[in-house]
Amino acid sequence: MDIESVAAGRDRVPRILVTRLRFLGDVIMSTPVIEALKERYPKAQIYYLAGSKYADILEENPYLEGIIRMNNGTASFIRTVLKLRSMKFSVALDLFYNPATANLLFLSGIPVRIGGRRRWRKWLYTMTWQAPGHVRSAVMHHMYPLRLLDVSRENGMPRVYLSEKEREWGRSYLASFNRGDFARNRVVALHPGGTWQSKRWPPVRFGELARRLTSSSGARVLLLTGPGEETIVREVRAATTADVEVMPTRALRETAAVIGACDAVVSNDGGILHLSVALGVPTVGIFGPTEPDIWFPYEGKGPFELAGGGEDCAPCHRHYCSHVKCLEAVDVDEVEERLSRVTGWRRQ
């Protein structure tokens, strides 16, 4: 289906709505969809609807006309329906297709609504899709329904954009620590947190990695703290003799600005990992209970490497695990070796 023909029938410029309400990593991994749509329909106005908690990460995206934020609750749902009805979209592409977005788009009056072929919700869309089993990566999964809109691209790399002002703020933040030498030394950010306990590499391993980085390569180490991750960061700090810095929880785009100013990032599987990749920072991702071919489709596409992901018990998708054998099997040598490859730094 050609979007321009739909818009012409309504005597207006094509206006496309892309929606993925959550989560941070998923929203980031959907950004190639925006670029592909703009490439195919350069005159179209593309908007993105996301949960308010995650929407800020889409700011500065040059392919978006605007961002629509939705909060939890009935009042926000109704306001969003009214807003969508007033904006007269030609097409809506739902990449999450949960009950909330399926109902939201149905009530919006958008003439072409594309969503996943899932349970009763498929009846609320005008066109549905289901990716075949060989479409594994989350990026390709998001790209798959574009074929219904006459878009031929099937893959891409996530991108998060920062303004020059934000980039300067990130550099200044790193230089503002008490010794002020973050402006001169290599900076490696470590993210030891994560929503799932089963996806967190042991704090003692992060502590040992920090010690090695500061002693062997002269790097400065910055521990990133996400919401509710203060205890985990304290455990890492207690487990190392390295002189590390801790960045407390910051606003999402401030965190992005700091990551963008770093020389490398080592992160557990999660949103920060995808954010680092989308900013083009050399990144090592540590994987345990989830599938790397779905959630780390980055190797060979830049300075990004995977550590772990090879245990027999994985993938298990558990949120909690009493032994975490998959992560215990990832040793510091492996992570350090991956980091040396993505950065080009010589191990000592």
Side-chain angles (χ1 to χ4, degrees):
M1 186 199 66
D2 189 318
I3 293 175
E4 290 172 340
S5 63
V6 174
R10 306 183 89 196
D11 194 27
R12 59 174 62 98
V13 173
R15 183 170 282 180
I16 306 169
L17 178 70
V18 178
T19 178
R20 168 91 210 191
L21 288 184
R22 58 182 193 260
F23 299 91
L24 177 61
D26 298 279
V27 171
I28 291 171
M29 295 182 86
S30 76
T31 55
V33 169
I34 306 167
E35 183 176 349
L37 283 168
K38 193 65 174 178
E39 181 182 86
R40 172 63 180 84
Y41 298 105
K43 295 181 180 179
Q45 297 176 346
I46 303 173
Y47 290 77
Y48 200 112
L49 167 65
S52 296
K53 186 177 179 180
Y54 313 105
D56 287 353
I57 206 60
L58 298 165
E59 290 180 6
E60 302 294 331
N61 189 306
Y63 305 108
L64 283 178
E65 190 75 18
I67 302 165
I68 302 170
R69 294 164 169 82
M70 188 168 117
N71 295 311
N72 294 329
T74 303
S76 181
F77 181 91
I78 293 172
R79 285 195 299 269
T80 304
V81 168
L82 296 175
K83 184 177 183 65
L84 297 183
R85 293 183 73 90
S86 70
M87 293 183 70
K88 307 294 184 184
F89 285 100
S90 309
V91 174
L93 176 59
D94 187 355
L95 300 175
F96 195 34
Y97 44 94
N98 75 334
T101 48
N103 281 294
L104 182 76
L105 297 183
F106 179 76
L107 295 171
S108 69
I110 300 173
V112 178
R113 303 180 303 279
I114 301 173
R117 197 174 301 138
R118 183 179 291 173
R119 299 177 184 173
W120 57 267
R121 300 193 286 282
K122 62 187 177 184
W123 303 111
L124 300 182
Y125 300 108
T126 61
M127 302 175 72
T128 60
W129 59 280
Q130 183 171 344
H134 69 269
V135 177
R136 293 286 293 167
S137 93
V139 172
M140 292 182 68
H141 186 86
H142 287 132
M143 299 284 283
Y144 188 81
L146 290 178
R147 62 192 61 209
L148 298 175
L149 296 174
D150 194 34
V151 177
S152 58
R153 279 182 56 180
E154 296 182 352
N155 212 333
M157 281 296 291
R159 292 283 182 264
V160 167
Y161 299 87
L162 298 172
S163 68
E164 185 52 44
K165 183 177 180 181
E166 288 174 316
R167 290 187 180 280
E168 179 56 35
W169 186 89
R171 292 189 289 265
S172 298
Y173 185 92
L174 293 187
S176 68
F177 290 103
N178 52 11
R179 284 179 297 279
D181 59 0
F182 268 71
R184 299 191 301 273
N185 290 57
R186 297 166 174 168
V187 182
V188 180
L190 307 182
H191 182 236
T195 303
W196 298 4
Q197 171 269 349
S198 62
K199 293 165 72 172
R200 302 179 201 139
W201 201 37
V204 67
R205 300 281 176 88
F206 271 109
E208 173 60 14
L209 177 63
R211 185 195 67 78
R212 293 192 193 184
L213 289 172
T214 56
S215 63
S216 64
S217 65
R220 298 298 306 279
V221 172
L222 178 68
L223 301 180
L224 303 176
T225 310
E229 295 175 353
E230 292 80 7
T231 299
I232 299 168
V233 170
R234 282 196 297 269
E235 289 174 357
V236 175
R237 200 171 192 181
T240 187
T241 58
D243 185 12
V244 299
E245 299 287 353
V246 174
M247 187 179 83
T249 304
R250 307 285 304 197
L252 183 54
R253 291 198 67 82
E254 290 177 342
T255 300
V258 171
I259 289 173
C262 290
D263 296 287
V265 170
V266 178
S267 174
N268 293 325
D269 177 20
I272 292 297
L273 170 68
H274 301 294
L275 176 56
S276 178
V277 169
L279 289 166
V281 178
T283 303
V284 176
I286 301 175
F287 271 66
T290 49
E291 299 102 322
D293 59 339
I294 296 177
W295 301 112
F296 198 86
Y298 306 132
E299 289 188 301
K301 299 178 181 179
F304 318 119
E305 290 222 9
L306 173 76
E311 285 300 294
D312 292 340
C313 59
C316 69
H317 303 289
R318 293 177 180 173
H319 291 195
Y320 175 83
C321 179
S322 60
H323 56 75
V324 209
K325 288 196 300 183
C326 56
L327 290 174
E328 292 284 356
V330 182
D331 61 32
V332 178
D333 282 339
E334 179 183 356
V335 176
E336 194 178 16
E337 173 62 28
R338 299 290 189 272
L339 189 60
S340 71
R341 293 212 298 244
V342 299
T343 59
W345 302 343
R346 182 179 299 177
R347 297 178 66 189
Q348 298 179 4

mmCIF file of all heavy atoms in Angstrom, residues 260-281:
data_model
loop_
_atom_site.group_PDB
_atom_site.id
_atom_site.type_symbol
_atom_site.label_atom_id
_atom_site.label_comp_id
_atom_site.label_asym_id
_atom_site.label_seq_id
_atom_site.Cartn_x
_atom_site.Cartn_y
_atom_site.Cartn_z
ATOM 1 N N GLY A 260 27.427 9.491 25.601
ATOM 2 C CA GLY A 260 27.970 9.912 24.315
ATOM 3 C C GLY A 260 29.355 10.523 24.412
ATOM 4 O O GLY A 260 30.101 10.538 23.428
ATOM 5 N N ALA A 261 29.720 11.021 25.598
ATOM 6 C CA ALA A 261 31.040 11.628 25.797
ATOM 7 C C ALA A 261 32.073 10.615 26.264
ATOM 8 O O ALA A 261 33.266 10.937 26.344
ATOM 9 C CB ALA A 261 30.937 12.772 26.810
ATOM 10 N N CYS A 262 31.643 9.394 26.602
ATOM 11 C CA CYS A 262 32.566 8.364 27.081
ATOM 12 C C CYS A 262 33.307 7.713 25.913
ATOM 13 O O CYS A 262 32.878 7.771 24.760
ATOM 14 C CB CYS A 262 31.807 7.300 27.874
ATOM 15 S SG CYS A 262 31.175 7.878 29.474
ATOM 16 N N ASP A 263 34.411 7.058 26.239
ATOM 17 C CA ASP A 263 35.192 6.351 25.222
ATOM 18 C C ASP A 263 34.711 4.930 25.011
ATOM 19 O O ASP A 263 34.963 4.338 23.960
ATOM 20 C CB ASP A 263 36.668 6.341 25.628
ATOM 21 C CG ASP A 263 37.257 7.742 25.663
ATOM 22 O OD1 ASP A 263 37.486 8.312 24.584
ATOM 23 O OD2 ASP A 263 37.455 8.276 26.767
ATOM 24 N N ALA A 264 34.037 4.360 26.000
ATOM 25 C CA ALA A 264 33.520 2.999 25.878
ATOM 26 C C ALA A 264 32.506 2.758 26.991
ATOM 27 O O ALA A 264 32.497 3.464 27.998
ATOM 28 C CB ALA A 264 34.643 1.971 25.957
ATOM 29 N N VAL A 265 31.664 1.741 26.769
ATOM 30 C CA VAL A 265 30.645 1.359 27.748
ATOM 31 C C VAL A 265 30.626 -0.157 27.864
ATOM 32 O O VAL A 265 30.703 -0.870 26.855
ATOM 33 C CB VAL A 265 29.241 1.868 27.334
ATOM 34 C CG1 VAL A 265 28.158 1.271 28.215
ATOM 35 C CG2 VAL A 265 29.184 3.389 27.371
ATOM 36 N N VAL A 266 30.538 -0.634 29.108
ATOM 37 C CA VAL A 266 30.272 -2.057 29.370
ATOM 38 C C VAL A 266 28.964 -2.104 30.144
ATOM 39 O O VAL A 266 28.827 -1.471 31.192
ATOM 40 C CB VAL A 266 31.398 -2.707 30.192
ATOM 41 C CG1 VAL A 266 31.052 -4.164 30.485
ATOM 42 C CG2 VAL A 266 32.731 -2.620 29.443
ATOM 43 N N SER A 267 27.999 -2.860 29.625
ATOM 44 C CA SER A 267 26.664 -2.832 30.211
ATOM 45 C C SER A 267 26.023 -4.200 30.193
ATOM 46 O O SER A 267 26.228 -4.994 29.270
ATOM 47 C CB SER A 267 25.781 -1.847 29.438
ATOM 48 O OG SER A 267 24.440 -1.881 29.896
ATOM 49 N N ASN A 268 25.226 -4.460 31.232
ATOM 50 C CA ASN A 268 24.331 -5.607 31.186
ATOM 51 C C ASN A 268 23.300 -5.398 30.075
ATOM 52 O O ASN A 268 23.080 -4.275 29.601
ATOM 53 C CB ASN A 268 23.604 -5.767 32.524
ATOM 54 C CG ASN A 268 24.533 -6.158 33.653
ATOM 55 O OD1 ASN A 268 25.487 -6.900 33.448
ATOM 56 N ND2 ASN A 268 24.253 -5.670 34.852
ATOM 57 N N ASP A 269 22.661 -6.478 29.684
ATOM 58 C CA ASP A 269 21.582 -6.425 28.704
ATOM 59 C C ASP A 269 20.466 -5.524 29.224
ATOM 60 O O ASP A 269 19.925 -5.742 30.308
ATOM 61 C CB ASP A 269 21.064 -7.846 28.467
ATOM 62 C CG ASP A 269 19.884 -7.910 27.526
ATOM 63 O OD1 ASP A 269 19.682 -6.955 26.756
ATOM 64 O OD2 ASP A 269 19.156 -8.925 27.573
ATOM 65 N N GLY A 270 20.128 -4.486 28.453
ATOM 66 C CA GLY A 270 19.071 -3.563 28.877
ATOM 67 C C GLY A 270 19.127 -2.270 28.084
ATOM 68 O O GLY A 270 19.888 -2.129 27.111
ATOM 69 N N GLY A 271 18.304 -1.317 28.506
ATOM 70 C CA GLY A 271 18.160 -0.073 27.762
ATOM 71 C C GLY A 271 19.441 0.715 27.602
ATOM 72 O O GLY A 271 19.689 1.298 26.538
ATOM 73 N N ILE A 272 20.282 0.766 28.640
ATOM 74 C CA ILE A 272 21.528 1.515 28.559
ATOM 75 C C ILE A 272 22.446 0.917 27.492
ATOM 76 O O ILE A 272 23.144 1.639 26.766
ATOM 77 C CB ILE A 272 22.232 1.547 29.926
ATOM 78 C CG1 ILE A 272 21.415 2.381 30.919
ATOM 79 C CG2 ILE A 272 23.650 2.106 29.805
ATOM 80 C CD1 ILE A 272 21.260 3.841 30.543
ATOM 81 N N LEU A 273 22.452 -0.393 27.382
ATOM 82 C CA LEU A 273 23.236 -1.052 26.338
ATOM 83 C C LEU A 273 22.819 -0.564 24.959
ATOM 84 O O LEU A 273 23.658 -0.173 24.133
ATOM 85 C CB LEU A 273 23.049 -2.564 26.445
ATOM 86 C CG LEU A 273 23.592 -3.409 25.298
ATOM 87 C CD1 LEU A 273 25.102 -3.357 25.270
ATOM 88 C CD2 LEU A 273 23.107 -4.848 25.422
ATOM 89 N N HIS A 274 21.521 -0.563 24.682
ATOM 90 C CA HIS A 274 21.037 -0.141 23.368
ATOM 91 C C HIS A 274 21.267 1.355 23.149
ATOM 92 O O HIS A 274 21.537 1.795 22.029
ATOM 93 C CB HIS A 274 19.561 -0.493 23.228
ATOM 94 C CG HIS A 274 19.296 -1.960 23.374
ATOM 95 N ND1 HIS A 274 19.756 -2.897 22.484
ATOM 96 C CD2 HIS A 274 18.637 -2.653 24.341
ATOM 97 C CE1 HIS A 274 19.390 -4.101 22.873
ATOM 98 N NE2 HIS A 274 18.709 -3.980 24.002
ATOM 99 N N LEU A 275 21.168 2.124 24.208
ATOM 100 C CA LEU A 275 21.431 3.554 24.105
ATOM 101 C C LEU A 275 22.874 3.808 23.711
ATOM 102 O O LEU A 275 23.155 4.639 22.836
ATOM 103 C CB LEU A 275 21.111 4.227 25.443
ATOM 104 C CG LEU A 275 21.415 5.721 25.569
ATOM 105 C CD1 LEU A 275 20.711 6.519 24.488
ATOM 106 C CD2 LEU A 275 21.016 6.221 26.957
ATOM 107 N N SER A 276 23.803 3.102 24.326
ATOM 108 C CA SER A 276 25.214 3.266 24.001
ATOM 109 C C SER A 276 25.489 2.925 22.538
ATOM 110 O O SER A 276 26.186 3.663 21.829
ATOM 111 C CB SER A 276 26.061 2.380 24.921
ATOM 112 O OG SER A 276 27.428 2.487 24.605
ATOM 113 N N VAL A 277 24.935 1.802 22.078
ATOM 114 C CA VAL A 277 25.106 1.411 20.672
ATOM 115 C C VAL A 277 24.519 2.470 19.752
ATOM 116 O O VAL A 277 25.127 2.857 18.740
ATOM 117 C CB VAL A 277 24.455 0.047 20.414
ATOM 118 C CG1 VAL A 277 24.376 -0.249 18.919
ATOM 119 C CG2 VAL A 277 25.222 -1.060 21.136
ATOM 120 N N ALA A 278 23.325 2.959 20.079
ATOM 121 C CA ALA A 278 22.652 3.941 19.228
ATOM 122 C C ALA A 278 23.390 5.266 19.177
ATOM 123 O O ALA A 278 23.186 6.063 18.247
ATOM 124 C CB ALA A 278 21.222 4.159 19.723
ATOM 125 N N LEU A 279 24.244 5.526 20.154
ATOM 126 C CA LEU A 279 25.075 6.734 20.151
ATOM 127 C C LEU A 279 26.411 6.492 19.466
ATOM 128 O O LEU A 279 27.214 7.415 19.337
ATOM 129 C CB LEU A 279 25.305 7.209 21.585
ATOM 130 C CG LEU A 279 24.081 7.802 22.279
ATOM 131 C CD1 LEU A 279 24.331 7.919 23.783
ATOM 132 C CD2 LEU A 279 23.723 9.171 21.687
ATOM 133 N N GLY A 280 26.668 5.258 19.050
ATOM 134 C CA GLY A 280 27.905 4.940 18.345
ATOM 135 C C GLY A 280 29.112 4.789 19.237
ATOM 136 O O GLY A 280 30.251 4.807 18.754
ATOM 137 N N VAL A 281 28.915 4.605 20.544
ATOM 138 C CA VAL A 281 30.024 4.457 21.493
ATOM 139 C C VAL A 281 30.488 2.999 21.494
ATOM 140 O O VAL A 281 29.650 2.094 21.525
ATOM 141 C CB VAL A 281 29.577 4.881 22.909
ATOM 142 C CG1 VAL A 281 30.712 4.683 23.915
ATOM 143 C CG2 VAL A 281 29.107 6.330 22.902
#
